[in-house]
Amino acid sequence: MLAVGFKKLYWLGYGILFFSLPLIAYDFEACRQKAMLSMERVGNTYGIAIKRLGDSAQDSQNNLTPSKVALFVYSPKSTPKGYKILKHDPFIGMYLLESKTELLPISLRTINKEILEDEMASILPHDGVSGKIATRMQSPINYATLNTPTFQNSLISTVCDHIYGIGIGKNEFIEKAYLDRFILSDSVHYGDIGVRVFQNSDDRVEVNLIDPFFRANPFAYGDIIMMINGEAIPNVAHFNRVVFDLKEGEIVPVRISRKGVVMELQAYVDKRRGGMLLKEDFLGRVGIEVDSNFVITRVAPYAKNGFERLKVGDKVLRVNQQAVPQGYDAIIRLLGQYPDKMQKWLISRDDFQFFINVNQKESQKTQDSLIQGLLNESNAFSL
């Protein structure tokens, strides 16, 4: 009798244990069916209905009537074909497109700590995979991750109605706050304070590239960025988040450590002109382009302060008596030793070498004409 009772209790306990285990297999079918109501095929990927267009835009996002919508598409390697582009972020590769069909916009939710341990799925109309959140999104280019691969342009959700982001491939996804930053803003903007940084061997954020002609650039190579605009900067992701959100034209306080001495600087904020998916364009602000050999490849009509004296094909041989290195980054590093200061360039053109001063501001003495420079024996050399 005792043995029979024990056996019953054993199987009862086993059953309770079994049925109390978390559900491992995620049932995607209902979510896939629902995803089809909010997704449209765009080439080899999908566009996700993110907001209503036209008169229907005034309706509540909870309206269950399909309508023309703006489609969100993450496409960093190619431009979607055959669609009207409503907005494009060229730095990251995000698009808003006008839909061709009528769809139901999704409703995005903010991730909170209560759902961090929940099963999270990456859903497409005909596929799905589940996992859990591994890391949160820290900046517009430091994405959130799952502990499993995500599909590009997929819905990241716990259950079908609870969508917390959009998958972008690998194991990454974009959270609501950063999607809203793109979708709801009037224009695409990323702040810039004139430097690029890296996480050094001491796990600190160090300046390793300086925009040479950035307005009033106060930084030097090796500066450790400690705080920007009152926010501590423990890593590059925090640097990106804080700097990208700064507004053009602001002047913000920056605390640095330079050769062991803590200093307070004032940094001007400009808009980002290159980097991320785009080629860095440090020289575009002064109206020139160069190749990796420091040969001038373009002089824009707005070039001034000595840069307008350059011609396509000119080769820069020396900067402030320093020989020019090979490679674009190395050239920028050299120019960055003299941030926002006048520089003396030795130019080779048509079998002559001559000096010109560039980045010479209006407050400085006006430079002699190029012809005078060519005729000056101290400046001209025959090759």
Side-chain angles (χ1 to χ4, degrees):
M1 180 73 179
L2 182 61
V4 172
F6 177 80
K7 189 173 183 179
K8 288 181 177 179
L9 287 172
Y10 172 83
W11 285 108
L12 177 62
Y14 182 83
I16 291 172
L17 176 63
F18 176 81
F19 288 110
S20 66
L21 288 173
L23 186 62
I24 301 300
Y26 197 100
D27 182 8
F28 300 114
E29 185 57 33
C31 293
R32 289 199 296 259
Q33 292 296 322
K34 188 160 187 178
M36 295 177 69
L37 302 176
S38 301
M39 303 179 80
E40 181 177 307
R41 195 76 185 179
V42 178
N44 294 324
T45 187
Y46 286 92
I48 298 171
I50 205 76
K51 68 175 183 177
R52 297 180 185 275
L53 294 177
D55 295 337
S56 60
Q58 304 301 319
D59 297 338
S60 168
Q61 291 289 90
N62 295 322
N63 187 338
L64 298 181
T65 304
S67 66
K68 292 298 288 293
V69 298
L71 297 171
F72 174 89
V73 177
Y74 175 76
S75 183
K77 295 182 179 180
S78 62
T79 301
K81 305 296 183 184
Y83 279 83
K84 179 180 179 181
I85 297 175
L86 305 175
K87 186 186 287 188
H88 174 215
D89 182 337
F91 294 93
I92 294 177
M94 298 187 293
Y95 291 84
L96 287 185
L97 309 177
E98 184 178 302
S99 69
K100 295 181 179 180
T101 59
E102 294 189 339
L103 299 166
L104 289 176
I106 64 171
S107 179
L108 287 163
R109 296 182 174 218
T110 301
I111 294 174
N112 55 51
K113 63 181 181 180
E114 284 75 20
I115 62 100
L116 289 177
E117 294 301 319
D118 288 357
E119 198 78 4
M120 193 73 66
S122 173
I123 299 291
L124 291 176
H126 302 291
D127 214 341
V129 64
S130 68
K132 290 188 176 182
I133 294 174
T135 60
R136 297 291 305 277
M137 193 163 176
Q138 299 183 63
S139 86
I141 59 173
N142 299 100
Y143 303 110
T145 62
L146 296 185
N147 62 0
T148 190
T150 60
F151 299 108
Q152 187 167 316
N153 295 307
S154 61
L155 302 179
I156 304 298
S157 65
T158 49
V159 294
C160 305
D161 292 324
H162 295 178
I163 300 170
Y164 292 93
I166 293 178
I168 60 172
K170 299 180 182 178
N171 65 332
E172 299 173 330
F173 69 96
I174 304 175
E175 293 185 28
K176 179 183 186 301
Y178 294 94
L179 289 167
D180 286 346
R181 186 185 190 277
F182 169 61
I183 295 162
L184 303 179
S185 63
D186 294 331
S187 61
V188 174
H189 169 82
Y190 295 94
D192 189 359
I193 58 172
V195 294
R196 303 293 180 263
V197 299
F198 75 109
Q199 202 84 18
N200 68 15
S201 58
D202 295 324
D203 203 29
R204 306 186 77 184
V205 179
E206 180 178 333
V207 172
N208 70 332
L209 207 58
I210 296 175
D211 189 333
F213 305 115
F214 192 92
R215 176 179 170 184
N217 198 325
F219 297 100
Y221 289 120
D223 284 352
I224 302 299
I225 308 294
M226 303 171 65
M227 187 174 289
I228 299 175
N229 210 23
E231 288 200 48
I233 306 296
N235 53 49
V236 173
H238 277 69
F239 175 91
N240 290 336
R241 178 182 60 78
V242 173
V243 172
F244 288 168
D245 283 344
L246 295 175
K247 295 180 180 179
E248 183 179 1
E250 289 182 328
I251 296 177
V252 297
V254 180
R255 180 177 298 170
I256 67 163
S257 174
R258 180 176 295 171
K259 297 180 179 179
V261 179
V262 175
M263 306 170 63
E264 299 286 342
L265 306 178
Q266 297 293 313
Y268 174 79
V269 180
D270 198 358
K271 63 182 179 181
R272 187 80 176 238
R273 296 171 179 270
M276 295 178 265
L277 288 179
L278 300 179
K279 178 183 177 182
E280 286 284 14
D281 186 25
F282 295 112
L283 303 181
R285 70 175 68 254
V286 295
I288 65 170
E289 293 179 10
V290 304
D291 66 14
S292 60
N293 295 313
F294 215 158
V295 174
I296 307 299
T297 58
R298 178 175 177 267
V299 180
Y302 60 85
K304 60 180 182 179
N305 297 334
F307 294 103
E308 77 280 3
R309 299 178 182 275
L310 296 166
K311 291 185 177 181
V312 172
D314 286 353
K315 180 175 175 59
V316 183
L317 302 177
R318 302 182 74 85
V319 173
N320 290 358
Q321 302 302 324
Q322 292 196 60
V324 168
Q326 295 288 310
Y328 183 82
D329 284 354
I331 291 168
I332 296 301
R333 281 190 62 83
L334 171 59
L335 300 179
Q337 294 180 30
Y338 315 100
D340 201 33
K341 294 181 174 62
M342 187 184 75
Q343 299 178 12
K344 191 172 187 177
W345 289 6
L346 176 61
I347 307 296
S348 175
R349 179 194 297 169
D350 298 333
D351 295 332
F352 284 96
Q353 294 180 3
F354 55 92
F355 289 102
I356 65 170
N357 293 331
V358 297
N359 206 40
Q360 190 171 24
K361 305 301 177 62
E362 293 179 2
S363 60
Q364 298 168 330
K365 183 178 179 180
T366 303
Q367 180 183 349
D368 292 335
S369 69
L370 179 59
I371 295 176
Q372 289 175 320
L374 286 169
L375 295 177
N376 189 324
E377 291 184 1
S378 64
N379 285 355
F381 307 92
S382 177
L383 291 177

